[in-house]
Amino acid sequence: MDKIVIIELNAEAKKLYSLNEPSQKSVDKECALRDNNNGKSPNGKIEDFISNVHLNKRVIWVGDTKDEGYTVSIDSIVYLPNPNDPDDLDFFHTKNVSGTGGSTGIVTAIVKNDKRLVSKQDIYTVNFSIYENGLFPKCFHIDPKLAGNP
């Protein structure tokens, strides 16, 4: 069984792009996540969306929008350590996983093969940009979660 997890960020790109200095609440409201591994949010909030990922397997983040003339590029994935949890672990081999760049960039990372990650949750940051007609990116971020599975 191929356990590659693809996490898709869907953004209301035109609406977000038109906002000047939007609050995080506004950004969260205009974004949605889904994945190919039954990821979900128990309360519908993007910051509580959990993707179940697998040890030593690839995770791919992609951006999408239905708004014509706009694209969503995933710029980077950044690990956010929990200072209150001495057992907090990074799911990836680097704290900042860079994307492929450009107006349709994606990020690919491999989850560490560390059994201590099983049943752990990790809050991380998805940095993304919205481009209008392939130019003039505006940057945003969201902070969902990963859960480790064997």
Side-chain angles (χ1 to χ4, degrees):
M1 179 167 121
D2 194 8
K3 294 184 179 179
I4 294 173
V5 176
I6 300 171
I7 301 171
E8 184 178 287
L9 168 64
N10 291 280
E12 295 289 336
K14 185 175 182 179
K15 191 179 282 188
L16 270 175
Y17 197 87
S18 70
L19 297 175
N20 289 325
E21 299 182 34
S23 68
Q24 189 58 51
K25 188 174 183 178
S26 296
V27 173
D28 291 350
K29 180 180 170 202
E30 302 305 333
C31 294
L33 287 172
R34 68 177 178 210
D35 68 33
N36 64 338
N37 197 32
N38 300 314
K40 63 184 177 220
S41 173
N43 56 17
K45 293 181 179 181
I46 201 160
E47 64 267 21
D48 293 324
F49 186 91
I50 300 172
S51 290
N52 293 294
V53 298
H54 302 280
L55 301 183
N56 206 34
K57 297 295 179 182
R58 190 175 313 274
V59 182
I60 302 170
W61 289 264
V62 298
D64 194 23
T65 185
K66 293 178 183 168
D67 296 332
E68 191 172 326
Y70 294 85
T71 56
V72 178
S73 173
I74 307 299
D75 301 322
S76 65
I77 302 302
V78 179
Y79 165 61
L80 297 173
N82 181 348
N84 299 320
D85 181 358
D87 297 323
D88 190 34
L89 298 168
D90 186 356
F91 274 50
F92 305 108
H93 297 280
T94 180
K95 292 186 184 327
N96 187 344
V97 184
S98 297
T100 57
S103 62
T104 57
I106 65 170
V107 171
T108 301
I110 295 177
V111 177
K112 288 179 183 175
N113 192 13
D114 185 338
K115 298 215 183 303
R116 296 177 298 166
L117 294 173
V118 174
S119 300
K120 289 287 256 184
Q121 282 191 4
D122 179 36
I123 297 172
Y124 68 103
T125 296
V126 177
N127 293 305
F128 67 99
S129 297
I130 296 176
Y131 289 76
E132 182 179 33
N133 298 315
L135 302 170
F136 312 112
K138 289 190 176 182
C139 301
F140 306 92
H141 76 274
I142 57 171
D143 299 313
K145 299 174 184 168
L146 296 174
N149 292 271

